[in-house]
Amino acid sequence: LLLLTNNETKKAYELSERLYKKHPQNAAINLVSALTLIVLDKDHNLTLSRLEKTRTLKSRSAKAQSHFARGVVYARSGNHAEAAEQFKSVTRLRLDAIAHANWAISLSHQGHHTKAMKQLARAADLEDTAPQIACLRAFLLWQNKNHKQAAAELSRAKTMKPPFHPVFELEAQMAIEKKDWKTAIAALERVIELTPNNADAQFNLGISYVEHNQLKAAKDAFSKAVRLNPTDQEAAYNRDQLTKILEGP
């Protein structure tokens, strides 16, 4: 867990796998192993099988962590109904603003927007200064076409510390929908500043530069996207087309 906290995910994974091989039925080791698999976004079925062996945990905190982990895996798998149940179980074991927020996300994916806003309000009651929660509130407001309130909540999220890159991703998304390319470019540049290896942000920055008629900057952004994700054929195509345009006949 200390290795994960320090972002040493490879070492954490190797150690957790060694421990698992020695003690495959130990509930605590299965929990740590599952958390490592979640951070690395590895096989969801494998992660759930490890979490299944954590049901004998006695500690309320460990049980809550197990339910939270299940919620994350189900959410990533698109099973939002089961994810909602798992995050709901966390809130029965401990006061957890992020669990309420994730419960809200799962409810929203199922179309239960009123219930989602209720859980989000509960999350805000517990942790009103968390940028994650403010960002989510802005997202749900935007989805529900409350654009003025969404913009106000997003502005509030941008002032919170530490900076949370999804806040700026959402700002870019909202700006792109409004074809406000200048704002989109500024937001995406902030995302890249916070997450330098973000290939998607580089791709979206390239698109925004094209729309803003900054073709050289767009080509550079697409080139960076390809370096970060060599399998991105669309980014490579856009880069090559812009190269031809810029070089001329």
Side-chain angles (χ1 to χ4, degrees), residues 164-170 172 187-206 220-229 232 235:
F164 184 54
H165 75 86
V167 169
F168 300 96
E169 288 179 333
L170 178 59
L188 288 164
E189 285 177 342
R190 183 68 171 124
V191 172
I192 291 164
E193 180 185 338
L194 295 168
T195 55
N197 296 324
N198 192 325
D200 289 339
Q202 289 287 1
F203 181 89
N204 290 329
L205 182 60
D220 291 343
F222 287 126
S223 296
K224 290 175 183 175
V226 173
R227 283 200 295 272
L228 291 167
N229 180 12
D232 190 337

Side-chain angles (χ1 to χ4, degrees), residues 3-175:
L3 289 169
L4 282 178
T5 303
N6 292 328
N7 292 320
E8 297 182 68
T9 51
K10 185 178 179 181
K11 288 182 180 179
Y13 174 69
E14 291 171 351
L15 178 58
S16 68
E17 287 301 294
R18 287 202 300 271
L19 288 170
Y20 176 79
K21 287 177 181 178
K22 289 182 179 179
H23 310 283
Q25 301 304 319
N26 183 285
I29 288 173
N30 272 279
L31 178 58
V32 172
S33 174
L35 294 175
T36 307
L37 292 169
I38 287 170
V39 171
L40 293 171
D41 199 15
K42 287 188 175 287
D43 187 285
H44 294 160
N45 289 330
L46 174 62
T47 307
L48 288 172
S49 71
R50 301 270 170 99
L51 288 169
E52 188 63 28
K53 297 177 183 178
T54 68
R55 293 186 183 277
T56 58
L57 290 167
K58 303 298 182 184
S59 160
R60 288 176 66 87
S61 176
K63 285 181 179 179
Q65 188 64 65
S66 178
H67 282 295
F68 194 99
R70 284 193 187 89
V72 170
V73 177
Y74 283 124
R76 288 179 180 176
S77 303
N79 188 345
H80 299 295
E82 188 57 44
E85 287 301 314
Q86 295 301 324
F87 291 126
K88 180 180 178 180
S89 295
V90 175
T91 66
R92 289 173 173 169
L93 291 164
R94 68 185 183 196
L95 296 175
D96 191 318
I98 302 302
H100 280 286
N102 279 283
W103 185 2
I105 294 172
S106 299
L107 289 168
S108 179
H109 277 296
Q110 297 174 77
H112 304 315
H113 299 303
T114 301
K115 291 180 179 179
M117 292 303 291
K118 181 179 178 181
Q119 291 308 317
L120 199 54
R122 180 61 178 141
D125 287 342
L126 293 169
E127 191 69 54
D128 191 41
T129 60
Q132 297 95 325
I133 293 167
C135 179
L136 177 57
R137 179 173 170 78
F139 172 70
L140 291 178
L141 287 166
W142 184 262
Q143 273 198 327
N144 291 331
K145 309 300 181 184
N146 295 324
H147 292 169
K148 188 174 180 180
Q149 291 182 53
E153 191 66 13
L154 187 65
S155 295
R156 192 172 76 90
K158 287 170 64 179
T159 67
M160 295 177 177
K161 304 296 181 184
F164 184 54
H165 75 86
V167 169
F168 300 96
E169 288 179 333
L170 178 59
E171 182 182 29
Q173 179 185 339
M174 290 164 62

